[in-house]
Amino acid sequence: PCNHSNVYALIPAAGNGSRMGLSSNKVFLPLSSRSSVLAHTIHNIIRAEICSGICIVVREADREDAEELFAELRSDFSNVQFI
């Protein structure tokens, strides 16, 4: 368990993929056959057990997708904010 009560991870995920020529946010692209860049990032932050919270910065258009992605991770980690 995390003993760092005032350490938060900030995940910048508010891009739109335009520089890559994409029509959607690149954080939702698969990093491996099973998970997206954002899922992989969240999973590793939780697994490291070095922070007490995660703040994920997303575009309003991607908020629901990001929340669903987190729910699919089925983590007991509950201190997550989407802004």
Side-chain angles (χ1 to χ4, degrees):
C2 179
N3 293 322
H4 307 284
S5 63
N6 61 349
V7 176
Y8 280 71
L10 177 64
I11 302 174
N16 62 16
S18 62
R19 286 184 292 169
M20 291 180 66
L22 302 173
S23 60
S24 61
N25 192 332
K26 61 185 166 278
V27 299
F28 295 106
L29 290 177
L31 183 62
S32 65
S33 61
R34 298 181 312 155
S35 68
S36 68
V37 173
L38 184 56
H40 185 74
T41 302
I42 294 168
H43 173 77
N44 284 314
I45 289 171
I46 293 170
R47 197 174 94 195
E49 297 183 343
I50 60 171
C51 61
S52 59
I54 299 173
C55 181
I56 304 170
V57 182
V58 295
R59 295 182 307 155
E60 187 61 38
D62 292 332
R63 184 181 180 120
E64 186 175 325
D65 290 337
E67 289 174 346
E68 287 176 13
L69 181 147
F70 183 78
E72 289 171 6
L73 292 175
R74 295 190 175 116
S75 172
D76 291 337
F77 195 89
S78 61
N79 193 4
V80 176
Q81 300 175 29
F82 296 88
I83 61 169

